[in-house]
Amino acid sequence: PISLSFASVSDSGSGLKDVALWYKKNSGGAWTDSGQKSTSASGTFSFSGTSGDATYFFALRAEDNAGNKSPAPAGSGSASVL
């Protein structure tokens, strides 16, 4: 598994509801919600990947208590090889 740490996620309005881990497999893949969420502003996700060796790209998407979400991931993100 790949350990992915994040820190200092915040919302100055209604407060942070959760942070979701998104990934895509290889550079041409589509961004997918991993289903992993955290209600903490800092923490670590553990990602095991899908079948086969690949380069995975990661991004976070935050939601506040008012239901506002940061934009869906686009572009490259941060890469790790599994």
Side-chain angles (χ1 to χ4, degrees):
I2 298 171
S3 182
L4 303 152
S5 297
F6 64 96
S8 303
V9 178
S10 66
D11 177 76
S12 60
S14 64
L16 178 67
K17 178 180 176 184
D18 60 42
V19 178
L21 176 66
W22 284 61
Y23 74 94
K24 69 177 182 172
K25 186 175 179 178
N26 297 319
S27 61
W31 283 104
T32 303
D33 185 342
S34 72
Q36 296 187 53
K37 291 186 178 183
S38 174
T39 56
S40 299
S42 300
T44 304
F45 290 112
S46 181
F47 183 80
S48 295
T50 59
S51 62
D53 293 340
T55 299
Y56 289 90
F57 296 81
F58 299 99
L60 298 175
R61 187 173 190 194
E63 181 176 359
D64 67 14
N65 289 313
N68 300 305
K69 293 182 180 181
S70 58
S76 295
S78 298
S80 291
V81 176
L82 183 65

